[in-house]
Coordinates of all heavy atoms in Angstrom, one line a residue:
S12 N -61.9 -149.1 -2.1 CA -62.3 -148.4 -3.3 C -62.3 -146.9 -3.2 O -62.2 -146.4 -2.1 CB -63.8 -148.9 -3.7 OG -64.8 -148.1 -3.2
S13 N -62.4 -146.2 -4.3 CA -62.2 -144.8 -4.2 C -63.5 -144.1 -3.8 O -64.6 -144.7 -3.8 CB -61.8 -144.3 -5.6 OG -62.9 -144.4 -6.5
L14 N -63.3 -142.8 -3.4 CA -64.5 -142.0 -3.1 C -65.4 -141.9 -4.3 O -66.6 -141.9 -4.2 CB -63.9 -140.6 -2.7 CG -65.1 -139.5 -2.5 CD1 -66.0 -140.0 -1.4 CD2 -64.4 -138.2 -2.2
V15 N -64.9 -141.9 -5.5 CA -65.7 -141.7 -6.7 C -66.6 -142.9 -6.9 O -67.8 -142.8 -7.2 CB -64.7 -141.6 -8.0 CG1 -65.5 -141.9 -9.2 CG2 -64.2 -140.2 -8.0
D16 N -66.1 -144.1 -6.6 CA -66.9 -145.3 -6.7 C -68.1 -145.3 -5.7 O -69.2 -145.6 -6.0 CB -66.1 -146.6 -6.4 CG -65.1 -146.9 -7.5 OD1 -65.2 -146.4 -8.7 OD2 -64.0 -147.6 -7.2
T17 N -67.7 -144.8 -4.5 CA -68.7 -144.7 -3.4 C -69.8 -143.7 -3.8 O -71.0 -144.0 -3.7 CB -68.1 -144.4 -2.1 OG1 -67.1 -145.3 -1.8 CG2 -69.1 -144.2 -1.0
L18 N -69.4 -142.6 -4.3 CA -70.3 -141.5 -4.6 C -71.2 -141.9 -5.8 O -72.4 -141.7 -5.8 CB -69.6 -140.2 -5.0 CG -68.9 -139.6 -3.8 CD1 -68.1 -138.3 -4.3 CD2 -69.8 -139.2 -2.7
N19 N -70.6 -142.5 -6.8 CA -71.4 -143.0 -8.0 C -72.5 -144.1 -7.5 O -73.6 -144.0 -8.1 CB -70.4 -143.6 -9.0 CG -69.6 -142.6 -9.8 OD1 -70.0 -141.4 -9.7 ND2 -68.6 -143.0 -10.4
E20 N -72.0 -145.0 -6.7 CA -73.0 -146.0 -6.3 C -74.1 -145.4 -5.4 O -75.3 -145.7 -5.6 CB -72.3 -147.0 -5.5 CG -73.1 -148.2 -5.0 CD -72.4 -149.3 -4.4 OE1 -71.3 -149.7 -4.9 OE2 -72.8 -149.8 -3.3
R21 N -73.7 -144.5 -4.5 CA -74.7 -144.0 -3.5 C -75.6 -142.9 -4.1 O -76.7 -142.9 -3.7 CB -73.9 -143.5 -2.3 CG -74.9 -143.0 -1.2 CD -74.1 -142.7 0.1 NE -75.0 -142.1 1.0 CZ -74.6 -141.5 2.2 NH1 -73.3 -141.3 2.4 NH2 -75.5 -141.0 3.0
F22 N -75.0 -142.0 -5.0 CA -75.8 -140.9 -5.4 C -76.1 -140.9 -6.9 O -76.7 -140.0 -7.4 CB -75.0 -139.6 -5.1 CG -74.8 -139.4 -3.6 CD1 -73.6 -139.7 -3.0 CD2 -75.9 -138.9 -2.9 CE1 -73.4 -139.5 -1.6 CE2 -75.7 -138.7 -1.5 CZ -74.5 -139.0 -0.9
G23 N -75.7 -142.0 -7.6 CA -76.0 -142.1 -9.0 C -75.2 -141.1 -9.9 O -75.6 -140.8 -11.0
T24 N -74.1 -140.6 -9.3 CA -73.2 -139.7 -10.1 C -72.4 -140.6 -11.1 O -72.4 -141.8 -11.1 CB -72.3 -138.9 -9.2 OG1 -71.5 -139.9 -8.4 CG2 -73.0 -138.0 -8.3
T25 N -71.8 -139.8 -12.0 CA -70.9 -140.5 -13.1 C -69.6 -140.0 -13.0 O -68.9 -139.7 -14.0 CB -71.6 -140.3 -14.4 OG1 -71.7 -138.9 -14.7 CG2 -72.9 -141.0 -14.6
F26 N -69.0 -139.8 -11.8 CA -67.6 -139.3 -11.7 C -66.7 -140.4 -12.2 O -66.9 -141.5 -12.1 CB -67.3 -139.0 -10.2 CG -68.1 -137.9 -9.6 CD1 -68.8 -138.1 -8.4 CD2 -68.1 -136.7 -10.1 CE1 -69.5 -137.0 -7.8 CE2 -68.8 -135.6 -9.6 CZ -69.5 -135.8 -8.4
T27 N -65.6 -139.9 -12.7 CA -64.6 -140.8 -13.3 C -63.2 -140.7 -12.4 O -63.1 -140.0 -11.5 CB -64.2 -140.3 -14.7 OG1 -63.5 -139.0 -14.6 CG2 -65.4 -140.2 -15.6
D28 N -62.3 -141.5 -12.9 CA -61.0 -141.5 -12.2 C -60.4 -140.1 -12.3 O -59.7 -139.7 -11.3 CB -60.0 -142.5 -12.9 CG -60.4 -144.0 -12.5 OD1 -61.2 -144.2 -11.5 OD2 -59.9 -144.8 -13.2
A29 N -60.6 -139.4 -13.4 CA -60.1 -138.0 -13.5 C -60.7 -137.1 -12.4 O -60.0 -136.3 -11.8 CB -60.4 -137.4 -14.8
D30 N -62.0 -137.4 -12.1 CA -62.6 -136.6 -11.0 C -62.1 -136.9 -9.7 O -62.0 -136.1 -8.8 CB -64.1 -136.8 -11.0 CG -64.8 -136.4 -12.3 OD1 -64.5 -135.3 -12.8 OD2 -65.6 -137.1 -12.8
Q31 N -61.6 -138.1 -9.5 CA -61.0 -138.6 -8.2 C -59.8 -137.7 -7.9 O -59.6 -137.3 -6.7 CB -60.5 -140.0 -8.3 CG -59.8 -140.5 -7.1 CD -60.7 -140.8 -5.9 OE1 -61.9 -141.0 -6.0 NE2 -60.1 -140.7 -4.7
L32 N -59.1 -137.2 -8.9 CA -57.9 -136.3 -8.7 C -58.4 -135.0 -8.0 O -57.7 -134.5 -7.2 CB -57.2 -136.1 -10.0 CG -56.5 -137.3 -10.6 CD1 -55.9 -136.9 -12.0 CD2 -55.5 -137.9 -9.7
F33 N -59.5 -134.5 -8.4 CA -60.0 -133.3 -7.8 C -60.2 -133.5 -6.3 O -59.8 -132.7 -5.5 CB -61.3 -132.8 -8.4 CG -61.9 -131.6 -7.7 CD1 -61.5 -130.3 -8.0 CD2 -62.9 -131.8 -6.8 CE1 -62.0 -129.3 -7.3 CE2 -63.5 -130.7 -6.2 CZ -63.1 -129.5 -6.4
F34 N -60.9 -134.6 -5.9 CA -61.1 -134.9 -4.5 C -59.8 -135.1 -3.8 O -59.7 -134.7 -2.6 CB -62.0 -136.1 -4.4 CG -63.4 -135.9 -4.9 CD1 -63.9 -136.6 -6.0 CD2 -64.3 -135.0 -4.4 CE1 -65.1 -136.4 -6.6 CE2 -65.5 -134.8 -4.9 CZ -66.0 -135.5 -6.0
E35 N -58.8 -135.7 -4.4 CA -57.5 -135.9 -3.8 C -56.8 -134.6 -3.5 O -56.2 -134.4 -2.5 CB -56.7 -136.9 -4.6 CG -57.2 -138.3 -4.6 CD -56.5 -139.2 -5.5 OE1 -55.5 -138.8 -6.1 OE2 -56.8 -140.4 -5.6
Q36 N -57.0 -133.7 -4.5 CA -56.4 -132.3 -4.4 C -57.0 -131.6 -3.1 O -56.3 -130.9 -2.4 CB -56.6 -131.5 -5.6 CG -55.8 -131.9 -6.8 CD -56.1 -131.1 -8.0 OE1 -57.3 -130.7 -8.3 NE2 -55.2 -130.9 -8.9
V37 N -58.3 -131.7 -3.0 CA -58.9 -131.1 -1.9 C -58.4 -131.7 -0.6 O -58.1 -130.9 0.4 CB -60.5 -131.2 -1.9 CG1 -61.2 -130.8 -0.6 CG2 -61.1 -130.4 -3.2
G38 N -58.3 -133.0 -0.5 CA -57.8 -133.7 0.6 C -56.4 -133.1 1.0 O -56.1 -132.9 2.1
M39 N -55.5 -133.0 0.0 CA -54.1 -132.6 0.2 C -54.2 -131.1 0.7 O -53.4 -130.8 1.6 CB -53.3 -132.7 -1.1 CG -53.0 -134.1 -1.4 SD -51.8 -134.3 -2.8 CE -52.9 -133.9 -4.2
D40 N -55.0 -130.3 0.1 CA -55.1 -128.9 0.6 C -55.5 -128.9 2.1 O -55.0 -128.1 2.9 CB -56.1 -128.1 -0.2 CG -55.6 -127.9 -1.6 OD1 -54.4 -128.1 -1.9 OD2 -56.5 -127.5 -2.5
L41 N -56.5 -129.7 2.5 CA -56.9 -129.7 3.9 C -55.8 -130.2 4.8 O -55.6 -129.7 5.8 CB -58.2 -130.7 4.0 CG -59.5 -130.0 3.4 CD1 -60.5 -131.1 3.2 CD2 -60.0 -128.9 4.2
E42 N -55.1 -131.2 4.3 CA -54.0 -131.8 5.2 C -52.9 -130.8 5.3 O -52.2 -130.7 6.4 CB -53.4 -133.0 4.5 CG -54.3 -134.2 4.6 CD -53.8 -135.4 3.8 OE1 -52.7 -135.5 3.5 OE2 -54.7 -136.3 3.6
A43 N -52.7 -129.9 4.4 CA -51.7 -128.9 4.4 C -52.0 -127.6 5.3 O -51.2 -126.9 5.7 CB -51.3 -128.4 3.0
D44 N -53.3 -127.5 5.6 CA -53.8 -126.5 6.4 C -53.3 -126.5 7.9 O -53.6 -127.5 8.6 CB -55.3 -126.4 6.4 CG -55.9 -125.2 7.1 OD1 -55.8 -125.1 8.3 OD2 -56.5 -124.4 6.4
E45 N -52.5 -125.6 8.3 CA -51.9 -125.6 9.7 C -52.9 -125.7 10.8 O -52.7 -126.3 11.8 CB -50.9 -124.5 9.8 CG -49.6 -124.7 9.0 CD -48.7 -123.6 9.1 OE1 -48.8 -122.7 10.0 OE2 -47.7 -123.6 8.3
E46 N -54.0 -124.9 10.6 CA -55.1 -124.9 11.6 C -55.7 -126.3 11.8 O -55.9 -126.8 12.9 CB -56.1 -123.9 11.3 CG -57.1 -123.7 12.3 CD -58.1 -122.6 12.0 OE1 -57.9 -121.7 11.1 OE2 -59.2 -122.6 12.6
I47 N -55.9 -126.9 10.6 CA -56.5 -128.3 10.7 C -55.5 -129.3 11.3 O -55.9 -130.2 12.0 CB -57.0 -128.7 9.3 CG1 -58.2 -127.9 8.9 CG2 -57.3 -130.2 9.2 CD1 -58.7 -128.1 7.5
Q48 N -54.3 -129.1 11.0 CA -53.2 -130.0 11.5 C -53.2 -129.9 13.1 O -53.2 -130.9 13.8 CB -51.8 -129.6 11.0 CG -51.6 -129.9 9.6 CD -50.3 -129.4 9.1 OE1 -49.5 -128.9 9.8 NE2 -50.2 -129.3 7.7
A49 N -53.3 -128.7 13.6 CA -53.3 -128.4 15.1 C -54.6 -129.0 15.6 O -54.6 -129.6 16.7 CB -53.2 -126.9 15.3
Q50 N -55.7 -128.8 15.0 CA -57.0 -129.3 15.5 C -57.0 -130.9 15.6 O -57.5 -131.5 16.5 CB -58.2 -128.9 14.6 CG -58.5 -127.4 14.8 CD -59.5 -126.9 13.8 OE1 -59.9 -127.6 12.8 NE2 -59.9 -125.7 14.0
A51 N -56.3 -131.5 14.6 CA -56.2 -133.0 14.6 C -55.4 -133.4 15.8 O -55.7 -134.5 16.4 CB -55.7 -133.5 13.3
R52 N -54.3 -132.7 16.0 CA -53.4 -133.1 17.1 C -54.0 -132.9 18.5 O -53.8 -133.7 19.4 CB -52.1 -132.3 17.0 CG -51.1 -132.7 16.0 CD -49.8 -132.0 16.2 NE -49.9 -130.5 16.2 CZ -49.8 -129.8 15.2 NH1 -49.6 -130.3 13.9 NH2 -49.9 -128.4 15.3
E53 N -54.9 -131.9 18.6 CA -55.3 -131.5 19.9 C -56.8 -132.0 20.3 O -57.2 -131.7 21.4 CB -55.3 -130.0 20.0 CG -53.8 -129.5 19.8 CD -53.8 -128.0 19.6 OE1 -54.9 -127.3 19.7 OE2 -52.7 -127.5 19.3
N54 N -57.4 -132.6 19.4 CA -58.8 -133.0 19.6 C -59.1 -134.5 19.3 O -58.4 -135.1 18.4 CB -59.8 -132.1 18.7 CG -59.7 -130.7 19.2 OD1 -60.3 -130.3 20.2 ND2 -59.1 -129.9 18.3
D55 N -60.2 -135.0 19.9 CA -60.7 -136.3 19.4 C -61.4 -136.0 18.0 O -61.6 -134.9 17.6 CB -61.6 -137.0 20.4 CG -62.8 -136.2 20.8 OD1 -63.3 -135.4 20.0 OD2 -63.4 -136.5 21.8
F56 N -61.8 -137.1 17.4 CA -62.4 -137.0 16.1 C -63.7 -136.1 16.1 O -63.9 -135.2 15.2 CB -62.7 -138.4 15.5 CG -63.3 -138.3 14.1 CD1 -62.5 -137.9 13.0 CD2 -64.6 -138.5 13.9 CE1 -63.0 -137.8 11.7 CE2 -65.2 -138.4 12.6 CZ -64.4 -138.0 11.5
D57 N -64.6 -136.3 17.0 CA -65.8 -135.6 17.0 C -65.6 -134.1 17.2 O -66.2 -133.3 16.5 CB -66.7 -136.1 18.2 CG -67.3 -137.5 17.9 OD1 -67.4 -137.8 16.7 OD2 -67.6 -138.2 18.9
N58 N -64.7 -133.7 18.1 CA -64.4 -132.2 18.2 C -63.6 -131.7 17.0 O -63.8 -130.6 16.6 CB -63.6 -132.0 19.5 CG -64.4 -132.1 20.7 OD1 -65.6 -132.0 20.7 ND2 -63.8 -132.5 21.8
F59 N -62.8 -132.6 16.4 CA -62.0 -132.2 15.2 C -63.0 -131.8 14.1 O -62.7 -130.8 13.3 CB -61.1 -133.4 14.7 CG -60.6 -133.2 13.4 CD1 -59.5 -132.3 13.2 CD2 -61.0 -133.9 12.3 CE1 -58.9 -132.1 11.9 CE2 -60.5 -133.7 11.0 CZ -59.4 -132.9 10.8
T60 N -64.1 -132.6 13.9 CA -65.0 -132.3 12.8 C -65.7 -131.0 12.9 O -66.1 -130.4 11.8 CB -66.0 -133.4 12.7 OG1 -66.8 -133.5 13.9 CG2 -65.4 -134.8 12.4
F61 N -65.8 -130.4 14.1 CA -66.4 -129.1 14.1 C -65.6 -128.0 13.4 O -66.2 -127.3 12.6 CB -66.5 -128.6 15.6 CG -67.6 -129.3 16.4 CD1 -67.2 -130.1 17.5 CD2 -68.9 -129.3 16.0 CE1 -68.1 -130.7 18.2 CE2 -69.8 -130.0 16.8 CZ -69.4 -130.7 17.9
G62 N -64.3 -128.0 13.5 CA -63.5 -127.0 12.7 C -63.3 -127.5 11.3 O -63.3 -126.7 10.4
F63 N -63.3 -128.8 11.1 CA -63.1 -129.3 9.7 C -64.3 -129.0 8.9 O -64.1 -128.6 7.7 CB -62.9 -130.8 9.8 CG -62.6 -131.5 8.5 CD1 -61.3 -131.5 8.0 CD2 -63.6 -132.0 7.7 CE1 -61.0 -132.1 6.8 CE2 -63.4 -132.6 6.5 CZ -62.1 -132.6 6.0
D64 N -65.5 -129.2 9.4 CA -66.7 -128.9 8.6 C -66.7 -127.5 8.0 O -67.0 -127.3 6.8 CB -67.9 -129.1 9.5 CG -68.1 -130.5 9.8 OD1 -67.5 -131.4 9.3 OD2 -69.1 -130.8 10.7
R65 N -66.3 -126.5 8.7 CA -66.3 -125.1 8.2 C -65.1 -124.9 7.2 O -65.2 -124.1 6.4 CB -66.3 -124.1 9.3 CG -65.0 -124.0 10.1 CD -65.1 -122.9 11.2 NE -64.0 -123.0 12.1 CZ -62.8 -122.5 11.8 NH1 -62.6 -121.9 10.6 NH2 -61.8 -122.6 12.6
K66 N -64.1 -125.7 7.3 CA -62.9 -125.5 6.4 C -63.1 -126.3 5.1 O -62.5 -125.9 4.1 CB -61.6 -126.0 7.1 CG -61.2 -125.2 8.2 CD -60.2 -124.1 7.6 CE -59.4 -123.5 8.6 NZ -58.2 -122.8 8.0
F67 N -63.9 -127.3 5.1 CA -64.1 -128.2 4.0 C -64.6 -127.5 2.7 O -64.0 -127.6 1.7 CB -65.0 -129.4 4.3 CG -65.3 -130.3 3.1 CD1 -64.3 -131.1 2.6 CD2 -66.5 -130.2 2.4 CE1 -64.6 -131.8 1.4 CE2 -66.7 -130.9 1.3 CZ -65.8 -131.8 0.8
L68 N -65.7 -126.8 2.9 CA -66.2 -126.1 1.7 C -65.3 -125.0 1.2 O -65.2 -124.9 0.0 CB -67.6 -125.5 2.0 CG -68.4 -125.1 0.8 CD1 -68.6 -126.1 -0.2 CD2 -69.8 -124.6 1.3
A69 N -64.6 -124.4 2.1 CA -63.7 -123.3 1.6 C -62.6 -124.0 0.8 O -62.1 -123.4 -0.2 CB -63.1 -122.6 2.8
A70 N -62.1 -125.2 1.2 CA -61.1 -125.9 0.5 C -61.6 -126.3 -0.9 O -60.8 -126.2 -1.9 CB -60.6 -127.1 1.3
V71 N -62.8 -126.7 -1.0 CA -63.4 -127.1 -2.3 C -63.4 -125.9 -3.2 O -63.0 -125.9 -4.4 CB -64.8 -127.7 -2.2 CG1 -65.5 -127.8 -3.5 CG2 -64.7 -129.0 -1.4
I72 N -63.9 -124.7 -2.7 CA -63.9 -123.5 -3.5 C -62.5 -123.0 -3.9 O -62.3 -122.7 -5.0 CB -64.7 -122.4 -2.7 CG1 -66.1 -122.8 -2.5 CG2 -64.5 -121.0 -3.3 CD1 -66.9 -121.9 -1.5
D73 N -61.6 -123.1 -2.9 CA -60.2 -122.6 -3.2 C -59.6 -123.5 -4.3 O -58.9 -123.1 -5.2 CB -59.3 -122.7 -2.0 CG -59.7 -121.6 -1.0 OD1 -60.4 -120.6 -1.3 OD2 -59.2 -121.7 0.2
R74 N -59.8 -124.8 -4.3 CA -59.3 -125.7 -5.2 C -59.9 -125.5 -6.6 O -59.2 -125.5 -7.6 CB -59.5 -127.2 -4.8 CG -59.0 -128.3 -5.8 CD -57.6 -128.1 -6.4 NE -56.6 -127.9 -5.4 CZ -55.4 -127.5 -5.7 NH1 -55.0 -127.3 -6.9 NH2 -54.5 -127.3 -4.8
T75 N -61.2 -125.2 -6.6 CA -61.9 -124.9 -7.9 C -61.2 -123.6 -8.5 O -60.9 -123.6 -9.7 CB -63.4 -124.8 -7.7 OG1 -63.9 -126.0 -7.1 CG2 -64.1 -124.5 -9.0
D76 N -61.1 -122.6 -7.6 CA -60.4 -121.4 -8.1 C -59.0 -121.6 -8.6 O -58.7 -121.0 -9.6 CB -60.4 -120.3 -7.0 CG -61.8 -119.8 -6.6 OD1 -62.8 -120.0 -7.4 OD2 -62.0 -119.2 -5.6
A77 N -58.2 -122.4 -7.9 CA -56.9 -122.7 -8.3 C -56.9 -123.4 -9.7 O -56.0 -123.1 -10.6 CB -56.2 -123.5 -7.3
N78 N -57.7 -124.4 -9.8 CA -57.8 -125.1 -11.1 C -58.3 -124.2 -12.2 O -57.8 -124.3 -13.4 CB -58.8 -126.3 -11.0 CG -58.1 -127.4 -10.2 OD1 -56.9 -127.4 -9.9 ND2 -59.0 -128.4 -9.8
D79 N -59.2 -123.2 -11.9 CA -59.6 -122.3 -12.9 C -58.5 -121.4 -13.3 O -58.4 -121.0 -14.5 CB -60.8 -121.4 -12.3 CG -61.6 -120.7 -13.3 OD1 -61.8 -121.3 -14.4 OD2 -62.0 -119.5 -13.1
E80 N -57.6 -121.0 -12.4 CA -56.5 -120.2 -12.7 C -55.5 -120.9 -13.7 O -55.0 -120.3 -14.6 CB -55.7 -119.8 -11.4 CG -56.4 -118.7 -10.7 CD -56.6 -117.3 -11.5 OE1 -55.6 -116.9 -12.1 OE2 -57.7 -116.8 -11.5
I81 N -55.3 -122.2 -13.4 CA -54.5 -123.0 -14.3 C -55.1 -123.0 -15.7 O -54.5 -122.9 -16.7 CB -54.3 -124.4 -13.7 CG1 -53.4 -124.4 -12.4 CG2 -53.6 -125.3 -14.8 CD1 -53.5 -125.7 -11.7
F82 N -56.4 -123.3 -15.8 CA -57.1 -123.3 -17.0 C -57.0 -122.0 -17.8 O -56.6 -122.0 -19.0 CB -58.6 -123.5 -16.7 CG -59.5 -123.4 -17.9 CD1 -59.5 -124.4 -18.9 CD2 -60.3 -122.3 -18.1 CE1 -60.4 -124.3 -20.0 CE2 -61.2 -122.2 -19.2 CZ -61.2 -123.2 -20.1
K83 N -57.1 -120.9 -17.1 CA -57.0 -119.6 -17.7 C -55.5 -119.3 -18.2 O -55.3 -118.8 -19.3 CB -57.3 -118.5 -16.8 CG -58.8 -118.4 -16.4 CD -59.1 -117.3 -15.4 CE -60.5 -117.3 -15.0 NZ -60.8 -116.4 -13.9
R84 N -54.5 -119.7 -17.5 CA -53.1 -119.6 -17.9 C -52.9 -120.4 -19.1 O -52.2 -119.9 -20.1 CB -52.2 -120.0 -16.8 CG -52.0 -119.1 -15.6 CD -51.2 -117.8 -15.9 NE -50.0 -118.0 -16.6 CZ -48.8 -118.1 -16.0 NH1 -48.7 -118.1 -14.7 NH2 -47.7 -118.1 -16.8
I85 N -53.4 -121.6 -19.2 CA -53.2 -122.5 -20.3 C -53.8 -121.9 -21.6 O -53.2 -121.9 -22.6 CB -53.7 -123.9 -20.1 CG1 -52.7 -124.6 -19.1 CG2 -53.7 -124.7 -21.3 CD1 -53.2 -125.9 -18.6
L86 N -55.0 -121.3 -21.4 CA -55.6 -120.7 -22.5 C -54.9 -119.4 -23.0 O -54.8 -119.1 -24.2 CB -57.1 -120.3 -22.2 CG -58.0 -121.5 -22.2 CD1 -59.5 -121.0 -21.9 CD2 -58.0 -122.3 -23.4
D87 N -54.5 -118.6 -22.0 CA -54.0 -117.3 -22.3 C -52.5 -117.2 -22.7 O -52.0 -116.3 -23.3 CB -54.2 -116.3 -21.1 CG -55.7 -116.1 -20.9 OD1 -56.5 -116.3 -21.8 OD2 -56.0 -115.6 -19.8
D88 N -51.7 -118.2 -22.3 CA -50.2 -118.2 -22.4 C -49.8 -119.3 -23.4 O -49.8 -120.4 -23.1 CB -49.6 -118.4 -21.1 CG -48.1 -118.2 -21.2 OD1 -47.5 -118.5 -22.2 OD2 -47.5 -117.8 -20.1
K89 N -49.6 -118.9 -24.7 CA -49.3 -119.8 -25.7 C -48.1 -120.7 -25.4 O -48.1 -121.9 -25.6 CB -49.1 -119.1 -27.0 CG -48.9 -120.1 -28.2 CD -48.7 -119.4 -29.5 CE -48.4 -120.4 -30.6 NZ -48.0 -119.7 -31.8
G90 N -47.1 -120.1 -24.8 CA -45.8 -120.8 -24.5 C -46.1 -121.9 -23.4 O -45.6 -123.0 -23.5
L91 N -46.8 -121.5 -22.4 CA -47.2 -122.4 -21.3 C -48.1 -123.5 -21.9 O -47.8 -124.7 -21.6 CB -47.9 -121.7 -20.2 CG -48.5 -122.5 -19.1 CD1 -47.3 -123.0 -18.2 CD2 -49.4 -121.8 -18.3
R92 N -49.1 -123.2 -22.7 CA -49.9 -124.2 -23.3 C -49.1 -125.2 -24.1 O -49.3 -126.4 -24.1 CB -51.0 -123.5 -24.2 CG -51.9 -124.5 -24.9 CD -53.0 -123.8 -25.7 NE -52.6 -122.9 -26.7 CZ -52.7 -121.5 -26.6 NH1 -53.3 -121.0 -25.6 NH2 -52.2 -120.8 -27.6
E93 N -48.2 -124.6 -25.0 CA -47.4 -125.6 -25.8 C -46.5 -126.5 -24.9 O -46.3 -127.7 -25.3 CB -46.5 -124.8 -26.8 CG -47.4 -124.1 -27.8 CD -46.6 -123.1 -28.7 OE1 -45.4 -122.7 -28.3 OE2 -47.1 -122.7 -29.8
A94 N -45.9 -126.0 -23.8 CA -45.1 -126.8 -22.9 C -46.0 -127.9 -22.3 O -45.5 -129.1 -22.3 CB -44.5 -125.9 -21.9
V95 N -47.2 -127.5 -21.8 CA -48.0 -128.5 -21.2 C -48.5 -129.6 -22.2 O -48.5 -130.8 -22.0 CB -49.2 -127.8 -20.5 CG1 -50.3 -128.9 -20.0 CG2 -48.7 -127.0 -19.3
Q96 N -48.9 -129.1 -23.4 CA -49.3 -129.9 -24.4 C -48.2 -130.9 -24.9 O -48.5 -132.1 -25.0 CB -49.7 -129.1 -25.6 CG -50.3 -129.9 -26.8 CD -50.8 -128.9 -27.9 OE1 -51.3 -127.9 -27.6 NE2 -50.7 -129.4 -29.2
A97 N -47.0 -130.4 -25.0 CA -45.9 -131.3 -25.4 C -45.6 -132.4 -24.3 O -45.4 -133.5 -24.6 CB -44.6 -130.5 -25.7
H98 N -45.7 -132.0 -23.1 CA -45.5 -132.9 -22.0 C -46.6 -134.0 -22.0 O -46.2 -135.2 -21.9 CB -45.7 -132.1 -20.6 CG -45.6 -133.0 -19.4 ND1 -44.4 -133.5 -18.9 CD2 -46.6 -133.4 -18.7 CE1 -44.8 -134.2 -17.8 NE2 -46.1 -134.2 -17.7
F99 N -47.8 -133.7 -22.2 CA -48.9 -134.7 -22.2 C -48.9 -135.5 -23.4 O -49.3 -136.7 -23.4 CB -50.2 -134.0 -21.9 CG -50.4 -133.8 -20.4 CD1 -50.3 -132.5 -19.9 CD2 -50.6 -134.9 -19.5 CE1 -50.5 -132.3 -18.5 CE2 -50.7 -134.7 -18.2 CZ -50.7 -133.4 -17.7
A100 N -48.5 -134.9 -24.5 CA -48.4 -135.7 -25.8 C -47.5 -136.9 -25.6 O -47.8 -138.0 -26.0 CB -48.0 -134.8 -27.0
R101 N -46.3 -136.6 -25.0 CA -45.3 -137.6 -24.8 C -45.9 -138.7 -23.8 O -45.7 -139.9 -24.0 CB -44.0 -137.1 -24.3 CG -43.0 -138.0 -23.9 CD -42.6 -139.1 -24.9 NE -42.1 -138.6 -26.1 CZ -41.9 -139.3 -27.2 NH1 -42.1 -140.6 -27.3 NH2 -41.4 -138.7 -28.3
I102 N -46.4 -138.2 -22.7 CA -46.9 -139.2 -21.7 C -48.1 -140.0 -22.2 O -48.0 -141.2 -22.1 CB -47.4 -138.4 -20.4 CG1 -46.2 -137.8 -19.7 CG2 -48.3 -139.3 -19.5 CD1 -46.6 -136.9 -18.5
V103 N -49.0 -139.4 -22.8 CA -50.2 -140.2 -23.4 C -49.7 -141.2 -24.5 O -50.1 -142.3 -24.5 CB -51.3 -139.2 -24.0 CG1 -52.3 -140.0 -24.7 CG2 -51.9 -138.4 -22.8
Y104 N -48.8 -140.7 -25.3 CA -48.3 -141.6 -26.4 C -47.6 -142.8 -25.8 O -47.8 -143.9 -26.2 CB -47.3 -140.8 -27.3 CG -46.7 -141.6 -28.4 CD1 -47.3 -142.0 -29.5 CD2 -45.4 -142.1 -28.2 CE1 -46.7 -142.8 -30.5 CE2 -44.8 -142.9 -29.1 CZ -45.5 -143.2 -30.3 OH -44.8 -144.0 -31.2
D105 N -46.6 -142.5 -24.8 CA -45.9 -143.6 -24.2 C -46.8 -144.6 -23.5 O -46.6 -145.8 -23.6 CB -44.8 -143.0 -23.3 CG -43.7 -142.3 -24.0 OD1 -43.5 -142.6 -25.3 OD2 -42.9 -141.6 -23.4
R106 N -47.7 -144.1 -22.8 CA -48.6 -145.0 -22.0 C -49.5 -145.8 -22.9 O -49.7 -147.0 -22.7 CB -49.5 -144.2 -21.1 CG -48.8 -143.6 -19.9 CD -49.7 -142.9 -19.0 NE -49.0 -142.3 -17.8 CZ -49.5 -141.5 -17.0 NH1 -50.7 -141.0 -17.2 NH2 -48.7 -141.0 -16.0
L107 N -50.0 -145.2 -24.0 CA -50.8 -146.0 -25.0 C -50.0 -147.0 -25.7 O -50.4 -148.1 -26.0 CB -51.5 -145.0 -25.9 CG -52.6 -144.1 -25.2 CD1 -53.1 -143.1 -26.2 CD2 -53.7 -145.0 -24.6
R108 N -48.8 -146.7 -26.1 CA -47.9 -147.6 -26.8 C -47.5 -148.7 -25.9 O -47.5 -149.9 -26.3 CB -46.6 -146.8 -27.3 CG -46.9 -145.8 -28.4 CD -47.2 -146.4 -29.7 NE -45.9 -147.1 -30.1 CZ -45.8 -147.6 -31.4 NH1 -46.7 -147.4 -32.2 NH2 -44.7 -148.2 -31.7
D109 N -47.2 -148.4 -24.6 CA -46.8 -149.5 -23.7 C -48.0 -150.4 -23.4 O -47.8 -151.6 -23.1 CB -46.4 -148.9 -22.3 CG -45.0 -148.2 -22.5 OD1 -44.3 -148.5 -23.5 OD2 -44.7 -147.4 -21.6
A110 N -49.3 -149.9 -23.4 CA -50.4 -150.7 -23.2 C -50.7 -151.7 -24.3 O -51.5 -152.7 -24.1 CB -51.6 -149.8 -22.9
S111 N -50.3 -151.4 -25.5 CA -50.6 -152.2 -26.6 C -49.6 -153.2 -27.0 O -48.7 -153.6 -26.4 CB -50.9 -151.4 -27.9 OG -49.8 -150.6 -28.3

């Protein structure tokens, strides 16, 4: 099951599948971090978590900032907004039509 399911059950949150994507983005950012990669190669799990713990919150903040930048660009750049909107209009339409 997903992290979202676990968090919702354990903490009474109401995270959705869309929220799961945020958590996955954080995970991908952490996996791409060269320092974390080296720590994973060179340490057992317990020692790995010492370095990971300090990087985790930074990754959450960085991902939030990156998503905020995307949000601002979509709001501020009409051409970009229209391109993203057209892309998702087609995807949503096709998925909903295929589902029915």
